[in-house]
Structures are given as C-alpha cells and as structure tokens.
Amino acid sequence: LQFTSVEYILGKVFFTTCSDLNMLKKLKSAERLFLLIKKQFPFNVPSVSKGKIFSEVQRLINDDPESWLNVISIWKNLLELDAKKENLSQRDANPQKIKLGKNDTIIAEKLKTEQMQETEETRECQLEKQIEETLEQGDSLTKREKFQEEFQNDVAKAVDTHNENNLTFRVSCRCSGAIAKTFTAQEIGRIVGIALMKQFGWKADLRNPNLEIFIHLSDIYSVVGIPVFRVPLASRAYIRTTGLRSTIAWAMASVAEIKAGMFVLDPMCGFGTILLEAAKEWPDVYYVAADVSTSQLLGASDNLKAAGLKDKIELLKVSVIELPLPSESVDVIISDIPFGKKFKLGKDIRSILQELESPVAFGTIELSCCLLSEAHHRRLKDGEGRSIPLNSKGGHTDELGVAKCLIPEEKNGHRMLDKMPPFGSLVPMECYKVSLGKTDAFIYKYKKSHSSGL
Amino acid sequence: MKLLTHNLLSSHVRGVGPRGLPLRLQATEVRINNVEFNPDFVARMIPKVEWEVLLEAADHLRLIEVPKGPIQGYEQDETFLRKMHHVLLEVEVLEGTLQCPESGRMFPISRGIPNMLLSSEETET
C-alpha cells in the first residue's frame, strides 16, 4: 500500500493513497475505512451559543457542496470498479486488476476505537494506521452510475441506475469532548440530515440507506466522512467466531515480532483469534493454542477449519499454570489474559506471568506479550516492592527472584514503560494502551533476559 | 495432535524431575493428512526436534521411513525434508494417550486434542 501524507490524530489515521480497494481491504489493524469529506478545526463550544453552533454545523454542508459531491462521485466510482471486478471474477477464472484513476485519490481511514501510545519511535506503519486523506479528483466522471449492495466478495448485485438526486442516506454522529456536553449526537445528526436534504435533495432512510455519513465532532477536529466498505474491516472473512477484536489481535501479533521458524504459544487462547490473525500474516511459524475449556477449544477448532488453518495451529487442553513444556522451549508467548465478567481467572495475574517465564527462551528475539486489563495493570505496578513467592512446583530451573522496583521518571511518552517493573527475568519492553470499545486494555511486551533475578 | 507437538511436550506431573520427561505416546486412531510441503518451515523445525523422543513415538505408531537423525546439509535435501515433513506434520493422532514415564499418569487424546489438565476441574464459560 502506498500511503502519502500520513497524519495521526487520536484514534484516527488520515492518509492519501492510490491503492485499489482490494489492497485496502487487507488493512489489518484498522476498524473502518472512510472517505473524508471534511476535516476542520473543532467548534468552539464554550464561548458560543447553541444556535450559533447549529448554524456552524449547517455550514459544514452548505459552505462547500462541491466537495461533498466530489466525494460522492469518487465513492460511486470506487463501488463501480469494485462491482466490475466482482462481475469479472465471477465470469472467468482470472480476475483482472483494475487500477484506480491516476489522479490523487485520497481516502480517509478512521480507526473507530484504537489508540496507540508509543513509547518508541518508528513502529511499522501498519501498526499505527492513523491516516488522514482528503478526497480530491481531477477528472469528472463520465461512467454510468451503478451501486453495489454488498461489498463482500461473494455477493455482487447490480442495483438500478440512480442519479444523485435519488440518494438515500443516514447520518451517524459521534460527539466527544466539550461539544458532547452541549449537544447530543442525535441533535447534531438531525441538523446535518436536514441540511443535506435541503442542499442536495437526498432522502433520509434509516434502515437501509445507499449512503452513510459519519460525523465525529471532538475537541481536536470535526470530521465528516463516508465509509468505503459496508462491512467494517475488522470483521474478517476468515474468522467465524471472534473473541478478541481482530484488529487488536493482529496488532498484538505484530508487536510480538513473530518470525519464520518460531514456536508461538497462546496459553489462554479462547477461540484462537490472536493466533488466527498471526497465522494468516506469518504462516511459516509453529503455533500452539491452549486453553482449559473444552468448549472454547471446540470453538477454536471450528475457526481453524473455517479459516483453513488446521494445519498451522495445534490445539492443546492444558492449564496455563501447569504448562507441560520444558524450560526455554517457546519463542513467543502471546495471550489475551481473561478479565471482565465473562471469564474467571483462577489464579492471580502475577502467578500467571511467573508460570510463563520458564518456558520462554532466553535471548534477544524471544519475548512474550499479553493483553491486560486496567486491574491487572494496576496489580502489576503495585506489586513492585514485594517479593514474588516461588511457585508451588518448585521445580523450575529458572529462579524468580525479587521483582525490582523501578523509580519512575515521568518523561513524556515514557511514563508507561518506567512504571513497569521487571518481572523476575522478564524485562518489560513496551506498553501500549488500546481501547476495546467500552473498556481499555494494555498490551505489554516483555523480553526475557539473563541479567535480572538470577 | 501432530508428532511435532508431541515432541515439544514434556511431563509436568508433580514430583517429576525439573525438566520434565517425554511422554509416552500410544494411539488408537491415527489419520494421515495431506499438508502442503513447505521446505523452509520444515528445515527450521529440524533443530528443535528431540530425536529420541521422535523415534520412539514413530516406533509406537509403526511409522516407516523415519530418518534417524539430521543429515549433513539437510536444508537442501528435499527427500530428507519430505520425510520429516510427513512424520512431523502429516501424521495426526486423533485418539490415544500420553503417559508420564515416571508417575504412570495417563493423559487422553481425544478428537486430536490432548487433555493435559492435571486437576480434574475445568473452567467452563
């Protein structure tokens, strides 16, 4: 994917690209992809009356109808190309690749609920994915207008020709920050809807509109866009039942730096989402998924079959605190540690980490990575001063020693890292905060080193 | 359960020595799968293989044509790699048992998934 003029803002990535839809469908860490219509500075809420803000919102639409129409045209263009591709691929065995116009096609990508705070510079582009793109088009369109019902590959229905005046639409509005205190999302949505109807003559259809308009008003920006794909990118064709959000699963696998020839274990795999994402991206790796629950393992087995990954991922029924693995046999341990009401965690988070410490091999490549909730995160931080009791087995070759307490230095951006004490011989490397919708979580990355503890 | 997995497992029964011991494999139902041959992947797995464990398991399963150990220049030797590919990745134990050689404790393999829970309780969602 060739992205230019990339810009990150809090949960959204804006970028410019010339890639076609198929390539864009492959974006793994993004939730949804939008075409940007407008991006501007936030509304100044406190100092201005409600009525004034209403008119400001209306101006979003009325000030610049051209840009709206342009974006809609591009959107239709994209759909058409996609529809053509689908029809072609259904007719003959070799689908032809249709390239988008040579002009700058810029697409806005909106990450619905993903936030990454980096402690290091320069992670790969794929991880962050906060890109802004504004759509601009040089030529005018002369193609016949066709709409596509579904954007999924197996279904491609051609809809009757519509011209722009017969568009049906729906407005989805999200408000955060100061503006959310003055307005509800519905109010803003209504204003926008009415303005759109007046300006372009479109009709509102809440149930099954042709076009969905997304608006996000926050303290940092006001953004308007339309989704490129009907179905969010996060719903993967190859996963039948998801546990963890697939975007986060992919991100974790990415952070873990999985390389060919490694042995990767997920000791609390659930439905296997993390390893599924990992196996799709890094296939030359030996994966083992383990869980204590039969029903979860059967779900995972289902997922594996559906994804065609039965040969890549082995299943084991085993408890994470009693892993039948010799010391230092695993290259990477990656897991979504259960939390919340859905699952019970038999043992404390710390004893889990203790257990994982032994099988992980030494060296620079080997590391483990896990997703922890706020509560776990706090417990890991608080436990700094106390010593970790040796585990009940007592038979490990690796001594655990005392967790050292790091005196945190509150540098900007490095805050997270400093507050994470080393865990026995596991040294914390990175920590990312991610949003899972209603709750937040953290991705911790540890590496095993020779120095501490022993 | 593939033989590659069996090779990496070790007994975690209490009282068994610090490094655990390889588990004795018995099978009542075995299936041979057709797995895409990836020579690069197989070559990378070879250094991880515990050969004695593998040979014993292969013996119990009455497999033939199992290489006795890595040969010189195995990375380029397709015949060798194909044999290893077959043994490690294509043979799947669907039903059987794993036994800890020291304690005698048996762990069942059912529908291809070994159950190695030490305590009999499970966490069901």
Side-chain angles (χ1 to χ4, degrees):
Chain A
L1 290 176
Q2 299 126 324
F3 289 159
T4 53
S5 55
V6 177
E7 200 187 319
Y8 309 77
I9 299 180
L10 212 66
K12 296 193 190 359
V13 189
F14 297 87
F15 63 96
T16 309
T17 184
C18 298
S19 318
D20 61 23
L21 279 187
N22 265 341
M23 291 297 284
L24 290 171
K25 273 186 197 161
K26 297 204 186 123
L27 285 170
K28 293 274 172 133
S29 62
E31 293 266 344
R32 310 192 67 148
L33 191 64
F34 294 90
L35 292 171
L36 186 74
I37 299 180
K38 271 213 167 293
K39 173 176 166 273
Q40 57 187 52
F41 289 112
F43 293 129
N44 201 347
V45 176
S47 54
V48 162
S49 72
K50 213 167 169 176
K52 187 102 195 293
I53 299 203
F54 274 166
S55 59
E56 293 264 332
V57 173
Q58 282 171 335
R59 280 179 58 206
L60 261 185
I61 297 126
N62 298 332
D63 260 3
D64 190 13
E66 272 308 302
S67 68
W68 281 81
L69 292 175
N70 274 342
V71 172
I72 308 289
S73 308
I74 295 185
W75 176 71
K76 283 187 198 166
N77 195 14
L78 285 178
L79 293 192
E80 235 182 85
L81 290 176
D82 212 37
K84 276 208 198 127
K85 232 184 285 182
E86 312 268 312
N87 290 337
L88 274 181
S89 61
Q90 278 169 1
R91 262 185 271 136
D92 39 77
N94 315 319
Q96 283 166 330
K97 203 165 184 238
I98 302 174
K99 289 235 155 58
L100 278 180
K102 319 120 199 168
N103 319 316
D104 311 354
T105 345
I106 313 175
I107 302 179
E109 187 182 293
K110 205 179 196 184
L111 280 175
K112 221 164 191 200
T113 47
E114 195 160 81
Q115 281 179 348
M116 298 287 236
Q117 281 174 6
E118 262 198 332
T119 53
E120 287 178 12
E121 270 298 345
T122 60
R123 278 266 107 184
E124 297 139 30
C125 206
Q126 290 147 335
L127 246 195
E128 299 308 304
K129 287 292 186 242
Q130 290 199 328
I131 313 169
E132 264 186 2
E133 291 188 327
T134 31
L135 265 180
E136 274 154 37
Q137 209 181 21
D139 309 332
S140 57
L141 294 170
T142 51
K143 300 192 180 88
R144 207 168 22 116
E145 280 149 12
K146 258 190 187 180
F147 278 115
Q148 196 177 350
E149 287 271 88
E150 298 274 358
F151 292 153
Q152 296 180 4
N153 281 333
D154 19 297
V155 180
K157 295 182 217 150
V159 184
D160 326 304
T161 319
H162 286 261
N163 71 34
E164 272 170 26
N165 284 338
N166 290 349
L167 263 184
T168 58
F169 73 97
R170 172 173 69 197
V171 176
S172 291
C173 183
R174 199 151 78 100
C175 295
S176 53
I179 199 167
K181 299 196 184 106
T182 328
F183 292 99
T184 62
Q186 287 96 320
E187 285 179 300
I188 305 270
R190 228 195 342 255
I191 309 173
V192 176
I194 296 173
L196 284 174
M197 286 199 277
K198 281 206 192 123
Q199 178 73 236
F200 300 115
W202 299 337
K203 297 206 175 48
D205 180 348
L206 291 176
R207 233 168 284 141
N208 197 15
N210 296 130
L211 180 63
E212 259 202 279
I213 315 257
F214 276 80
I215 303 185
H216 187 188
L217 302 174
S218 70
D219 288 335
I220 306 176
Y221 46 51
S222 306
V223 180
V224 185
I226 55 180
V228 177
F229 303 109
R230 251 315 141 106
V231 180
L233 286 172
S235 62
R236 311 283 199 221
Y238 47 83
I239 297 185
R240 196 172 278 170
T241 334
T242 48
L244 182 64
R245 228 173 245 257
S246 46
T247 45
I248 309 253
W250 185 91
M252 285 183 70
S254 197
V255 171
E257 290 178 70
I258 296 173
K259 297 195 175 55
M262 282 190 167
F263 172 20
V264 177
L265 169 71
D266 184 348
M268 292 170 277
C269 66
F271 288 130
T273 321
I274 302 182
L275 292 190
L276 278 171
E277 289 290 326
K280 275 278 171 181
E281 191 82 32
W282 298 273
D284 290 333
V285 175
Y286 178 50
Y287 295 100
V288 174
D291 204 284
V292 285
S293 151
T294 316
S295 53
Q296 297 273 297
L297 284 174
L298 289 178
S301 180
D302 254 358
N303 273 341
L304 291 185
K305 279 204 199 88
L309 289 172
K310 272 228 85 153
D311 296 320
K312 291 250 165 261
I313 305 179
E314 284 269 86
L315 296 174
L316 265 187
K317 183 163 168 180
V318 94
S319 165
V320 66
I321 51 174
E322 296 158 337
L323 287 172
L325 294 166
S327 293
E328 294 150 44
S329 53
V330 183
D331 292 305
V332 174
I333 297 184
I334 177 170
S335 197
D336 170 17
I337 311 236
F339 60 93
K341 301 201 187 78
K342 220 172 164 207
F343 299 98
K344 266 192 317 172
L345 194 56
K347 289 273 173 140
D348 188 67
I349 181 70
R350 302 163 60 74
S351 57
I352 301 252
L353 268 188
Q354 280 169 226
E355 281 297 324
L356 295 179
E357 193 182 339
S358 169
V360 172
F362 276 130
T364 45
I365 308 173
E366 298 77 356
L367 49 79
S368 58
C369 175
C370 40
L371 189 63
L372 306 170
S373 68
E374 291 269 10
H376 292 325
H377 173 67
R378 242 176 283 131
R379 265 191 275 172
L380 268 186
K381 282 196 315 187
D382 296 338
E384 291 162 25
R386 291 179 260 132
S387 65
I388 308 172
L390 284 178
N391 66 60
S392 49
K393 271 172 76 172
H396 281 300
T397 47
D398 304 300
E399 238 61 51
L400 290 169
V402 177
K404 301 204 177 64
C405 178
L406 280 179
I407 314 293
E409 211 123 60
E410 311 258 281
K411 288 178 244 164
N412 226 342
H414 287 275
R415 211 160 170 196
M416 287 291 189
L417 199 53
D418 290 340
K419 284 208 177 120
M420 283 160 57
F423 203 91
S425 62
L426 290 176
V427 177
M429 300 295 297
E430 284 149 37
C431 177
Y432 298 99
K433 183 171 181 189
V434 296
S435 171
L436 300 178
K438 292 217 172 77
T439 54
D440 281 340
F442 295 88
I443 299 181
Y444 273 72
K445 175 170 158 178
Y446 287 88
K447 262 196 187 175
K448 191 164 182 179
S449 75
H450 290 267
S451 46
S452 43
L454 293 177
Chain B
M1 186 194 68
K2 298 188 208 277
L3 286 186
L4 180 56
T5 309
H6 168 256
N7 202 260
L8 280 147
L9 293 175
S10 71
S11 176
H12 52 323
V13 174
R14 288 191 171 108
V16 171
R19 278 197 73 88
L21 290 173
L23 298 149
R24 198 165 287 146
L25 175 65
Q26 295 281 9
T28 49
E29 192 182 328
V30 177
R31 180 174 68 197
I32 309 287
N33 296 313
N34 227 333
V35 177
E36 198 183 319
F37 175 56
N38 184 339
D40 207 41
F41 178 69
V42 182
R44 286 182 205 271
M45 293 293 118
I46 302 292
K48 298 190 202 272
V49 173
E50 292 277 351
W51 287 92
E52 299 199 356
V53 179
L54 180 66
L55 292 174
E56 192 187 319
D59 200 42
H60 283 241
L61 296 182
R62 309 212 206 300
L63 296 177
I64 54 169
E65 290 236 31
V66 181
K68 298 281 182 279
I71 59 178
Q72 194 64 278
Y74 67 83
E75 294 99 331
Q76 276 78 40
D77 188 334
E78 192 178 316
T79 327
F80 174 81
L81 290 176
R82 275 195 186 270
K83 284 190 193 158
M84 291 309 293
H85 167 80
H86 178 79
V87 171
L88 291 171
L89 303 171
E90 290 191 325
V91 178
E92 191 179 351
V93 178
L94 291 175
E95 304 286 329
T97 56
L98 292 166
Q99 182 177 39
C100 169
E102 197 166 295
S103 66
R105 169 90 186 242
M106 304 278 262
F107 299 99
I109 304 174
S110 158
R111 286 147 100 168
I113 304 179
N115 179 348
M116 307 206 57
L117 287 177
L118 281 179
S119 41
S120 44
E121 29 158 295
E122 271 186 36
T123 358
E124 285 291 339
T125 48

